[in-house]
Amino acid sequence: MKRIAVMTSGGDAPGMNAAIRAVVRAALDKNVEVYGVRQAYLGLLTGDMELLTSREVSGILQRGGTILQTARNEEFKTPQGQKKALRRLNERGIEGVVVIGGDGSLRGALQLHKMGVPVVGVPASIDNDIWGTDTSIGVDTALNTILDAVDRLRDTATSHNRAFLIEVMGRNCGYLALMGGILGGAELVITPENGITMEEIAKSLEDAYVRGKTHAIAVIAEGASYKVTELSKFLQQNHIGFEIRLTILGHTQRGGSPTAFDRLLATRMGVEAVERLLGGESGVMVARTGREQTTVPLAECTSKTRLISPEYYELAKMLSR
Ligand code: ADP
Ligand code: F6P
């Protein structure tokens, strides 16, 4: 293999730049050229890609976002779109692709593999919902951003005897909410998986008030079965003792400089992806299991759901008293 391409796709995640840098420098080290594809699958369709030199990935290791930009693209989901992309790759003599992104992006990568393009995926998504890997690029940074916010909100909550509802991202996965809750010392965690009712939430926050707590923090996953605004209204109407305030952290969780953990994860995964691709592997995703780096088939990780270990729910409950 003499020429490969790299792209970042789906929601951006802190550490994507560190992964791009690792892919480019690991490939150049093996005398392989690297095209950077702009705006994910959209760039593959339009041929928006450029050769990257070592200098072009200088000074990006610590930057959030992605220098290649990212996009969501419906056309690539169609057979016609996929053929167009294949034609663009052939035009430039690209022999393999590294796709850095979330589960949707990895589904796209699997389609490329099925068309005969050698592909290795790298898991990057703050949601930590990708099956087959302990963690993905961006999760640690997003979690630290959440903890910073929870700590700050507790300061003001305590000062005013208030309960705060804090909505965090995660799409359909409650990982960020659960970990943000446990590590931020929240009174309550609400996720799509644990299905707590509004009545149970009111009861639990009221109990905290009666027990004499000066504040209550509830961390809520965006994928929970009701809107936080509805929940906030419900709690206000039910007079739980605390005054209620609502904070939606939103896209602040996606930005910022990657933590040391995410830089290391992205760097190791980027290098591993190139080594696997040049070694002849395709249709796989680089994965972290324990301290090992392995690969798992894309077909498997895109068809299974990553479940949160139930013991973490027990931990959250036990420690919130
Ligand atoms: P993420 O990668 O963060 O989960 P998305 O689910 O939005 O983000 O997927 C990113 C992009 O991956 C989509 O906009 C689309 O271009 C591509 N993609 C997703 N699913 C498929 C699929 N089944 N086949 C081909 N491409 C897909
Ligand atoms: O998948 C990452 C993520 O940030 C999810 O947590 C969230 O639901 C979604 O992307 C938001 O997407 P957008 O950037 O399109 O608003």
Side-chain angles (χ1 to χ4, degrees):
M1 227 175 252
K2 282 283 148 225
R3 189 176 288 172
I4 64 171
V6 63
M7 62 193 251
T8 49
S9 173
D12 63 322
M16 278 183 162
N17 279 328
I20 295 169
R21 171 180 177 269
V23 167
V24 170
R25 293 201 173 156
L28 292 177
D29 186 62
K30 306 272 184 303
N31 297 314
V32 173
E33 290 181 327
V34 185
Y35 268 95
V37 182
R38 272 187 223 96
Q39 297 193 316
Y41 294 108
L42 176 64
L44 267 197
L45 292 171
T46 58
D48 189 3
M49 52 187 94
E50 210 176 289
L51 275 174
L52 294 173
T53 65
S54 193
R55 288 292 65 75
E56 270 150 335
V57 294
S58 280
I60 65 167
L61 173 69
Q62 78 291 358
R63 278 168 55 190
T66 159
I67 58 160
L68 292 175
Q69 296 192 293
T70 176
R72 296 195 167 100
N73 180 272
E74 287 304 308
E75 193 185 348
F76 184 74
K77 291 184 181 173
T78 67
Q80 184 58 25
Q82 288 161 16
K83 277 188 205 102
K84 222 192 253 183
L86 187 57
R87 191 180 161 106
R88 298 293 186 204
L89 290 171
N90 288 336
E91 277 166 6
R92 289 187 169 70
I94 293 168
E95 299 164 280
V97 183
V98 175
V99 176
I100 304 166
D103 57 350
S105 308
L106 296 169
R107 247 172 250 131
L110 179 60
Q111 291 309 315
L112 283 175
H113 165 75
K114 283 182 179 167
M115 288 190 300
V117 179
V119 177
V120 173
V122 173
S125 164
I126 65 164
D127 301 339
N128 210 13
D129 58 349
I130 302 172
W131 187 90
T133 183
D134 291 350
T135 192
S136 299
I137 295 167
V139 175
D140 187 63
T141 307
L143 198 46
N144 278 290
T145 303
I146 291 169
L147 293 183
D148 182 55
V150 171
D151 293 349
R152 287 167 191 269
L153 291 170
R154 189 190 294 92
D155 289 346
T156 174
T158 306
S159 307
H160 285 266
N161 237 285
R162 282 173 173 163
F164 265 79
L165 308 178
I166 307 172
E167 188 195 88
V168 302
M169 279 188 165
R171 205 170 280 193
N172 301 316
C173 174
Y175 181 88
L176 287 176
L178 183 56
M179 289 304 155
I182 293 174
L183 305 175
E187 276 62 37
L188 204 57
V189 174
I190 301 149
T191 67
E193 294 92 343
N194 70 1
I196 302 180
T197 65
M198 288 205 213
E199 287 75 15
E200 285 167 336
I201 295 166
K203 173 87 181 62
S204 167
L205 294 178
E206 196 179 322
D207 280 356
Y209 183 78
V210 172
R211 288 203 312 277
K213 287 215 167 193
T214 53
H215 63 264
I217 302 285
V219 182
I220 306 169
E222 65 172 345
S225 54
Y226 27 76
K227 287 204 166 70
V228 278
T229 45
E230 278 170 30
L231 176 62
S232 172
K233 225 182 270 170
F234 177 83
L235 294 174
Q236 262 152 17
Q237 284 160 358
N238 277 270
H239 308 291
I240 57 157
F242 293 114
E243 249 192 292
I244 307 291
R245 289 290 184 273
L246 166 63
T247 302
I248 298 173
L249 297 186
H251 290 78
T252 55
Q253 296 160 92
R254 286 243 295 263
S257 180
T259 57
F261 182 91
D262 271 332
R263 293 183 200 196
L264 180 60
L265 186 71
T267 300
R268 286 195 60 199
M269 283 186 162
V271 171
E272 188 86 31
V274 170
E275 285 173 357
R276 300 279 181 164
L277 196 58
L278 301 185
E281 280 187 58
S282 178
V284 295
M285 175 189 82
V286 175
R288 169 69 67 89
T289 51
R291 299 180 74 173
E292 300 295 315
Q293 287 220 131
T294 53
T295 55
V296 291
L298 283 171
E300 208 170 337
C301 60
T302 55
S303 61
K304 292 185 177 173
T305 308
R306 186 181 190 280
L307 298 176
I308 301 173
S309 166
E311 74 203 44
Y312 281 118
Y313 282 105
E314 294 304 317
L315 206 59
K317 206 168 161 194
M318 180 174 73
L319 299 179
S320 67
R321 302 299 298 167

